[in-house]
Amino acid sequence: MRYIGIEEIENIAIGAALLGTGGGGDPYIGKLMAQQAVEEYGPIRLISPDEVPDDALVIPSAMMGAPTVMVEKIPNGEEAVAAFEAIQEYLGKEVYATMPIEAGGVNSLLPLALAARLGLPVIDADGMGRAFPELQMVTFYLDGVPATPMVLSDEKGNNLLLNTINNVWAERIARTATIEMGGSVMLSIYPMDGKTVKQSAIHNILTLEEEIGRKIREAKERNEDPIEEVLKLTNGHRLFKGKVTDINRKTEAGFAKGTATIEGLDDYKGEECYLHFQNEHLLAETKDKVLCVTPDLIAVLDSDTGMPITTEGLKYGARCIVIGMPANPLWRTDKGIEVAGPRYFGYDLDFTPLEDLIRKEGN
Amino acid sequence: MSSYRIGIDVGGTHTDAVILDESYNVISEVKAPTTEDVSSGIYNAMKEVVASADVPVEKIKFAMLGTTHCTNAIVERKRLNRVAIIRIGAPATLAIKPLVGVPEDLKTILGKHVYLVRGGHEFDGREIVELDEQHIYQIAEEIKGQVDSVAIVSVFSPVSDTHETRAAAILAEVLGNDVALSMSNEIGSVGLLERENATILNAAIVDVARSTADGFVQALKQEGIHAKVFFGQNDGTLMSVEYTVKYPILTIACGPTNSLRGASYLTEQSDAIVVDVGGTTTDVGVLIGSFPRQSSLAVEIGGVRTNFRMPDISAIGLGGGTIVQINDDRSFQIGPESVGHKLHEKSLIFGGDTLTTTDIAVALGKAELGNPEHIAHLDKALLEKIYAEMIGMVEESIDKMKTSAEPVPVILVGGGSILFPAELKGASEVIKPNNSGVANAIGSAISQVSGQIERIFSLDELGREKTLEAAKEMARQEAINAGADPDDLVIVDFEDVPLAYLPGDATKIRAKAAGALAIG
């Protein structure tokens, strides 16, 4: 167990933006919420999954909806508490701890704000190790853990308890309700016991984010290139460097899809990289080879500052470096690839691990 | 009847002024030192440029000022108004209070009267809850006599401004006209905290803007000039005095924009890279459709995060005064230190003791300045290497700013532009216009008038084509309201970004129309 304060939150937010792989929403709002909560309620206890008793009740917390709505209609902080209390009452058991389901983007920080308010510990784990757009895209689901009972709460005081036949239905109903409730709600979801957390969650992810954030900030202060450090921490690889020369976007069923063309600079001069995204960066390829594909992680970093660029922030002329990072082994199973691999997102290719793609190229 | 206009631009080192005739020919130009109080530097430059122009003062009909008064007031935390902040958004938004993330010293000055009121809208224009009008009345009574200025911010006001407008009406009813009201929907776009910060800063500098405007008008009158006065804003267009006093925050960072716009005008290029070489740095910017390409990053003003759009500028530490250090082993270091505006005392060609980039250019015969004999002893082969690296630095910066490999025209402006040759890699041509030393003041003088809208539209209602056209029409109307000639309007900037995770094809659209000042 250790305590998380203002400084640690600052670092986690940067790591969360990187593991957000272009999506997951700007962690900025989550960071400020967590920091205000720490100022009002004191520091947060961060515990490792091993410290959680097997039979303890754990309830992750997250936001659902459009990050663009959340940056305008900021939560009041009580939504997550209400969602938590409603599910606790329904299950008739006291909650031991909370945790993120999604470490990438804004959702890594929101459980911290909740934990500070309630005085509960946060578990150093999540269900994605990155960001993904749909509720069933979590490692808990791969192990058959149901998303429901879950509760959606808005700032007006509405609570909605869902019990669905499967996680796809949970996703479908929750998404429709979210729109009616104002485009952005807080969830308590995937209630599970401590044993399940140990088996099915991705461990030590908040600590990894904190280290990534610290390295990027330190390198920035020393005017050094932070990317090497980031690659070391994540076992990642540098895939491409260039500038964005074309962006093609469309919205389908609430998802921002598109392709960015990046023209090579320096070592990559004369080449082009095509970056396909659907809220998150999902596939990076050149004319004749795949560089990295989901569920492995693709992050785009500003080549001047080393800071992550989101899919919405990708602009004509942006100078960037594309990096790839291997996904947690839980994602590289048959079930993991079925749930969040290239074919699920409509890309006609098989998943190949990043290391194999790199090796094939002979680097 | 012929008429003239004065353009003035305040920079870090120099305050530049020009007088143009009605065909925009430069009649006179002046570079005066920028003074600590800014104002007296402006008056000096203005008097000097009028005196040297030799035109009848009554024929000077317009005066355009690009100034740093407002930026300085925020950065120095001086002369700020007593402000009240009213955020309409409860029960939402309470998890992050106003001024969170703002530097402590500024928070202390601006955070004395902060109110959170029930109200605000959803992304689709529905009310979150009704506006608590009683609370606004109560606040109005409380702040009576306590504040000079109020910032009013309501959730999703870029989609529906009704709660902000209603709150402003109540405040005006109770407080009268002595208290300035800043409404967020007229200042920023979606993104509550950034828009709120910009609105608060705006409220804080209303008096600075008013006294700057009054002072400038008075100074003109003393010279017998009864011109219509305009202020430059950061998008390269003009605001009337009335508008400036309401929205002074829009004057922030008009300088780089003026320089780009001036370069465009002097060369008649609409799409080009502009390289502005000063004494200490070189700023590289991009012209698209005669306007600066804007940066996509959040902009901080005096340590405060806002969502203003600023020109996308890449600055490198290389200017006419940049110091070159040569080591014993013939290795060398270019900058980033500079002798700044002391070039005429410190550089070798002027008898000083410091080797500068200007000395290098003169020694190699690339420029004519000072006394070349002072540098005749230097090793030419080494100087060629240094010069090649200087050019390499600028070429790399140009390449980074380009959006494709296609060669583009490059415009060189600023006092240090004599350093660089008539050919650069990646440039289809290199243009060094006349009067390039005061391109920024010219940019200020020739500015157009613009109108802009940025809000979320649902494409489902009207369909894509009609929605985009409606957005453009709203922008045109804004420009006409601001004083643009309706027959001369062009859409100069347009962007639509679909919003993730929302149905109904919700799309954020930004449109800007600009046109010449309606004269008469």
Side-chain angles (χ1 to χ4, degrees):
Chain A
M1 198 275 290
R2 65 189 175 100
Y3 284 98
I4 296 278
I6 304 286
E7 182 70 16
E8 289 84 359
I9 292 170
E10 195 76 41
N11 291 335
I12 290 173
I14 296 172
L18 185 95
L19 296 191
T21 59
D26 185 348
Y28 183 69
I29 292 288
K31 178 185 89 175
L32 292 186
M33 280 175 66
Q35 288 178 334
Q36 181 173 315
V38 166
E39 271 171 23
E40 285 175 16
Y41 301 93
I44 304 150
R45 280 177 290 152
L46 182 74
I47 58 174
S48 115
D50 306 330
E51 293 175 68
V52 185
D54 278 355
D55 62 346
L57 175 61
V58 174
I59 301 180
S61 172
M63 69 85 66
M64 184 171 192
T68 334
V69 168
M70 201 181 195
V71 299
E72 176 68 28
K73 192 181 68 173
I74 295 161
N76 70 22
E78 286 299 315
E79 306 91 336
V81 175
F84 225 69
E85 283 169 353
I87 203 166
Q88 186 166 267
E89 190 184 338
Y90 176 76
L91 293 170
K93 189 172 175 188
E94 198 140 316
V95 181
Y96 181 83
T98 187
M99 63 186 270
I101 57 168
E102 179 180 33
V106 66
N107 266 330
S108 62
L109 283 306
L110 296 173
L112 298 177
L114 173 69
R117 268 173 191 269
L118 294 176
L120 281 179
V122 172
I123 306 172
D124 193 357
D126 86 320
M128 295 186 190
R130 50 166 299 156
F132 271 132
E134 295 179 20
L135 284 182
Q136 76 281 6
M137 294 177 174
V138 288
T139 50
F140 320 132
Y141 173 72
L142 304 181
D143 284 346
V145 180
T148 65
M150 68 185 270
V151 176
L152 289 74
S153 297
D154 66 24
E155 74 287 340
K156 295 170 276 288
N158 298 306
N159 292 323
L160 179 68
L161 175 75
L162 286 188
N163 260 313
T164 58
I165 51 169
N166 60 36
N167 288 1
V168 175
W169 273 102
E171 160 77 28
R172 200 179 285 170
I173 297 172
R175 188 136 327 256
T176 308
T178 298
I179 300 303
E180 274 313 301
M181 293 165 89
S184 155
V185 297
M186 291 302 302
L187 308 177
S188 53
I189 186 170
Y190 282 106
M192 64 186 105
D193 60 21
K195 197 174 168 196
T196 311
V197 173
K198 288 173 203 173
Q199 274 168 10
S200 304
I202 294 175
H203 293 195
N204 304 325
I205 194 78
L206 290 171
T207 298
L208 174 66
E209 289 183 331
E210 192 190 334
E211 280 174 27
I212 293 172
R214 200 181 60 233
K215 290 288 184 197
I216 291 183
R217 282 175 76 199
E218 282 174 2
K220 229 174 134 187
E221 275 162 25
R222 290 198 299 261
N223 257 329
E224 288 170 9
D225 179 9
I227 290 168
E228 280 310 313
E229 296 284 351
V230 169
L231 295 178
K232 247 183 259 167
L233 282 170
T234 57
N235 297 318
H237 296 271
R238 200 184 290 255
L239 302 177
F240 203 79
K241 179 180 184 183
K243 61 184 169 188
V244 179
T245 53
D246 190 38
I247 280 267
N248 200 332
R249 294 177 205 273
K250 56 182 179 204
T251 311
E252 266 173 33
F255 290 111
K257 298 186 178 182
T259 303
T261 305
I262 306 172
E263 189 186 279
L265 283 175
D266 300 345
D267 294 350
Y268 301 89
K269 218 161 194 152
E271 289 180 70
E272 271 187 342
C273 170
Y274 309 101
L275 188 67
H276 304 273
F277 55 85
Q278 297 184 23
N279 293 349
E280 282 80 32
H281 305 301
L282 296 176
L283 168 62
E285 59 182 358
T286 61
K287 226 171 253 147
D288 42 50
K289 61 179 187 281
V290 175
L291 299 175
C292 189
V293 62
T294 180
D296 282 347
L297 288 74
I298 300 166
V300 181
L301 307 176
D302 182 305
S303 48
D304 289 333
T305 63
M307 299 301 271
I309 303 177
T310 62
T311 57
E312 286 181 349
L314 269 180
K315 290 259 158 84
Y316 208 69
R319 275 100 50 197
C320 59
I321 290 169
V322 182
I323 66 171
M325 296 165 279
N328 187 283
L330 295 170
W331 282 121
R332 289 172 157 197
T333 57
D334 288 347
K335 181 104 191 260
I337 292 163
E338 182 195 319
V339 170
R343 292 196 192 276
Y344 181 86
F345 290 100
Y347 302 115
D348 187 21
L349 71 153
D350 290 321
F351 171 74
T352 312
L354 175 66
E355 306 86 284
D356 297 353
L357 291 170
I358 298 282
R359 212 171 299 135
K360 228 187 266 174
E361 211 197 326
N363 285 359
Chain B
M1 195 193 98
S2 58
S3 72
Y4 299 90
R5 56 178 69 196
I6 296 184
I8 299 177
D9 185 77
V10 180
T13 319
H14 288 115
T15 297
D16 299 344
V18 293
I19 289 186
L20 307 185
D21 69 13
E22 57 195 356
S23 323
Y24 295 174
N25 297 309
V26 178
I27 304 299
S28 66
E29 56 172 85
V30 157
K31 272 180 121 59
T34 295
T35 52
E36 185 114 16
D37 69 339
V38 182
S39 292
S40 52
I42 293 173
Y43 303 160
N44 293 340
M46 189 262 290
K47 278 181 198 162
E48 229 180 288
V49 82
V50 171
S52 67
D54 195 26
V55 298
V57 287
E58 65 276 7
K59 289 197 173 167
I60 299 175
K61 297 292 185 194
F62 301 100
M64 285 76 171
L65 177 61
T67 180
T68 53
H69 274 96
C70 293
T71 316
N72 293 356
I74 294 168
V75 172
E76 294 163 12
R77 281 81 160 119
K78 279 181 188 156
R79 300 201 290 147
L80 299 176
N81 285 115
R82 297 176 301 163
V83 171
I85 301 165
I86 301 178
R87 184 200 282 174
I88 303 165
T93 80
L94 302 180
I96 305 176
K97 304 212 169 83
L99 297 172
V100 164
V102 169
E104 285 302 321
D105 55 344
L106 208 51
K107 208 191 262 183
T108 314
I109 300 171
L110 300 176
K112 296 197 171 105
H113 308 273
V114 179
Y115 300 93
L116 297 158
V117 176
R118 287 175 67 85
H121 291 81
E122 305 280 13
F123 68 92
D124 53 7
R126 283 178 290 161
E127 281 184 346
I128 300 174
V129 289
E130 251 178 74
L131 174 66
D132 187 349
E133 298 195 358
Q134 271 326 105
H135 194 180
I136 303 279
Y137 275 107
Q138 189 191 325
I139 293 166
E141 293 295 338
E142 260 178 62
I143 60 176
K144 205 185 255 181
Q146 307 289 312
V147 304
D148 323 297
S149 192
V150 185
I152 308 165
V153 187
S154 166
V155 169
F156 274 115
S157 66
V159 175
S160 169
D161 61 7
T162 52
H163 286 184
E164 282 184 7
T165 329
R166 178 64 191 133
I170 293 172
L171 291 168
E173 179 190 326
V174 178
L175 302 171
N177 291 329
D178 293 341
V179 171
L181 304 175
S182 302
M183 286 193 282
S184 82
N185 72 81
E186 299 187 311
I187 289 173
S189 56
V190 174
L192 181 73
L193 298 177
E194 290 84 358
R195 189 175 74 250
E196 177 173 83
N197 286 344
T199 310
I200 295 167
L201 291 181
N202 188 73
I205 54 175
V206 166
D207 279 359
V208 170
R210 188 172 290 144
S211 66
T212 305
D214 290 349
F216 187 52
V217 172
Q218 279 308 319
L220 287 167
K221 276 188 185 149
Q222 275 173 15
E223 299 298 307
I225 302 168
H226 296 269
K228 193 160 168 36
V229 172
F230 292 90
F231 282 76
Q233 51 179 329
N234 56 17
D235 67 358
T237 59
L238 297 170
M239 301 189 280
S240 64
V241 169
E242 300 73 47
Y243 202 83
T244 307
V245 167
K246 263 185 111 171
Y247 303 109
I249 194 77
L250 301 179
T251 64
I252 303 269
C254 59
T257 306
N258 283 338
S259 154
L260 279 146
R261 293 273 302 144
S264 169
Y265 171 71
L266 288 170
T267 58
E268 296 182 352
Q269 295 284 334
S270 58
D271 297 273
I273 303 255
V274 177
V275 179
D276 187 344
V277 191
T280 308
T281 61
T282 292
D283 293 345
V284 180
V286 183
L287 281 169
I288 296 174
S290 302
F291 280 83
R293 183 175 80 203
Q294 293 181 315
S295 165
S296 55
L297 301 172
V299 173
E300 286 199 354
I301 304 169
V304 182
R305 176 164 152 145
T306 72
N307 52 6
F308 272 120
R309 296 180 63 85
M310 300 283 187
D312 187 6
I313 299 287
S314 158
I316 52 172
L318 174 67
T322 297
I323 298 170
V324 180
Q325 196 186 320
I326 299 178
N327 306 320
D328 295 340
D329 62 352
R330 289 169 55 88
S331 65
F332 58 87
Q333 168 85 28
I334 302 172
E337 292 78 23
S338 166
V339 297
H341 59 275
K342 290 187 175 156
L343 186 72
H344 287 260
E345 298 165 32
K346 300 219 160 170
S347 67
L348 299 181
I349 48 165
F350 291 110
D353 58 1
T354 313
L355 178 64
T356 65
T357 48
T358 302
D359 295 319
I360 310 263
V362 173
L364 296 172
K366 313 283 179 190
E368 285 175 29
L369 202 67
N371 185 353
E373 278 173 27
H374 291 306
I375 42 175
H377 64 283
L378 294 172
D379 174 354
K380 284 268 162 33
L382 182 57
L383 295 191
E384 290 285 359
K385 261 174 84 181
I386 298 172
Y387 189 66
E389 177 155 330
M390 284 161 52
I391 291 175
M393 287 168 76
V394 169
E395 284 175 343
E396 187 188 323
S397 192
I398 291 171
D399 188 57
K400 279 184 177 171
M401 296 298 278
K402 279 165 65 172
T403 48
S404 82
E406 287 295 300
V408 288
V410 170
I411 307 169
L412 285 176
V413 296
S417 57
I418 53 159
L419 289 185
F420 295 108
E423 273 181 36
L424 288 169
K425 202 160 58 182
S428 59
E429 54 179 324
V430 175
I431 312 167
K432 290 192 200 181
N434 290 330
N435 310 108
S436 75
V438 288
N440 48 354
I442 293 168
S444 173
I446 54 120
S447 293
Q448 294 179 310
V449 180
S450 76
Q452 174 165 327
I453 60 122
E454 178 164 354
R455 59 182 60 180
I456 295 171
F457 291 84
S458 173
L459 298 187
D460 274 0
E461 281 169 34
L462 288 171
R464 186 180 161 83
E465 288 303 309
K466 281 188 175 163
T467 310
L468 300 192
E469 191 40 52
K472 287 177 185 170
E473 188 49 39
M474 287 163 83
R476 282 189 206 106
Q477 203 50 52
E478 288 282 317
I480 294 166
N481 292 346
D485 182 348
D487 298 328
D488 187 55
L489 281 177
V490 185
I491 297 290
V492 292
D493 186 21
F494 192 84
E495 184 180 73
D496 58 315
V497 179
L499 300 183
Y501 307 97
L502 287 179
D505 269 351
T507 297
K508 185 158 86 175
I509 298 180
R510 191 181 76 240
K512 181 159 73 184
L517 202 55
I519 295 176

